[in-house]
Amino acid sequence: QVQLQESGPGLVKASQTLSLSCTVSGASVSNGGYYWSWIRQHPGKGLEWIGYIYDSGSTYYNPSLESRATISADTSKNQFSLKLNSVTAADTAVYYCARAHCSSISCYIGDWGQGTLVTVSS
Amino acid sequence: QSALTQPPSVSGSPGQSVTISCTGTSSDVGDYNRFSWYQQPPGTAPKLMIYEVSNRPSGVPDRFSGSKSGNTASLTISGLQAEDEADYYCSLHTSSSTVIFGGGTKVTVL
């Protein structure tokens, strides 16, 4: 049973960099076949995919966030991370880490972390 | 970039069936089985309910079913129960290897 746990500051100042980590237990981030993902949800709004990393280094991002987002993996800690730079109040959201099962014909998120609220302050 | 459109809300009485539609705007939707559905009760993380259009993960009740016709995927909840009250999101894996979500549908059990 895989478990994912987000960690990081709950408050970030505007213009600075949001940094979150996701610790994975019950699975290895270096195993192929899984895409380690970040998704966010603005308060009272829907889900927004940020991006994912697979094969310990290949990444895809939401085109609207690609210029500010970086996802990386630390296989020694069995973690993957999100950095989002130049944040504004519009980046205030609950951030989820998740494990996606992806192939050439489908991609679905089977396992989710509990989510962590990040508030951007001015 | 593709977009997925869902109705903001649907409702039904216990025991009834409700169907949530998810309509895509690009040719991605018609190809392969790229759709999945997620349930999110208030204050909780989303949960996978349907993958590859119509497959249910282990533990998901069989009253949840998925289908697709043309550019529209659908989630049907048969025999609606009070515990089914939640937000539901469709998702599509695009041919560009990105993921998009629909805007979400609130299901209310009357």
Side-chain angles (χ1 to χ4, degrees):
Chain A
Q1 178 79 1
V2 64
Q3 292 187 318
L4 303 103
Q5 179 65 58
E6 305 89 351
S7 59
L11 189 63
V12 180
K13 290 188 176 180
S15 79
Q16 295 189 344
T17 297
L18 178 159
S19 295
L20 294 173
S21 293
C22 181
T23 300
V24 179
S25 57
S28 172
V29 298
S30 59
N31 278 359
Y34 295 111
Y35 288 39
W36 304 94
S37 310
W38 288 98
I39 300 101
R40 70 180 183 179
Q41 187 169 33
H42 296 103
K45 302 298 184 182
L47 301 171
E48 180 180 32
W49 177 75
I50 299 172
Y52 50 52
I53 186 169
Y54 63 101
D55 290 345
S56 300
S58 299
T59 53
Y60 280 96
Y61 297 101
N62 185 325
S64 68
L65 295 169
E66 186 166 17
S67 63
R68 298 193 295 126
T70 301
I71 297 174
S72 59
D74 185 339
T75 56
S76 66
K77 295 181 180 179
N78 211 31
Q79 291 179 339
F80 62 105
S81 300
L82 168 70
K83 291 188 185 300
L84 188 66
N85 59 35
S86 305
V87 297
T88 69
D91 295 307
T92 294
V94 173
Y95 287 76
Y96 294 99
C97 63
R99 183 177 75 165
H101 306 239
C102 296
S103 69
S104 60
I105 62 169
S106 77
C107 191
Y108 54 92
I109 301 169
D111 305 284
W112 297 72
Q114 65 183 23
T116 187
L117 174 63
V118 178
T119 301
V120 177
S121 68
S122 54
Chain B
Q1 170 94 329
S2 303
L4 298 177
T5 300
Q6 299 180 232
S9 64
V10 298
S11 62
S13 299
Q16 290 187 329
S17 293
V18 296
T19 296
I20 304 168
S21 61
C22 173
T23 301
T25 60
S26 79
S27 61
D28 277 340
V29 176
D31 294 338
Y32 307 116
N33 295 320
R34 301 176 179 273
F35 276 102
S36 52
W37 289 91
Y38 303 88
Q39 176 195 63
Q40 187 179 34
T44 69
K47 173 187 173 183
L48 178 69
M49 302 302 284
I50 296 287
Y51 66 97
E52 295 175 355
V53 175
S54 59
N55 293 315
R56 273 189 313 275
S58 175
V60 172
D62 60 6
R63 65 177 183 276
F64 290 88
S65 62
S67 61
K68 182 167 73 72
S69 177
N71 278 15
T72 298
S74 298
L75 174 71
T76 297
I77 310 173
S78 305
L80 197 62
Q81 298 185 7
E83 67 203 52
D84 300 332
E85 191 160 285
D87 293 326
Y88 291 81
Y89 296 90
C90 61
S91 177
L92 175 68
H93 182 218
T94 75
S95 59
S96 304
S97 296
T98 61
V99 174
I100 56 174
F101 288 99
T105 298
K106 181 176 181 60
V107 171
T108 300
V109 181
L110 301 173

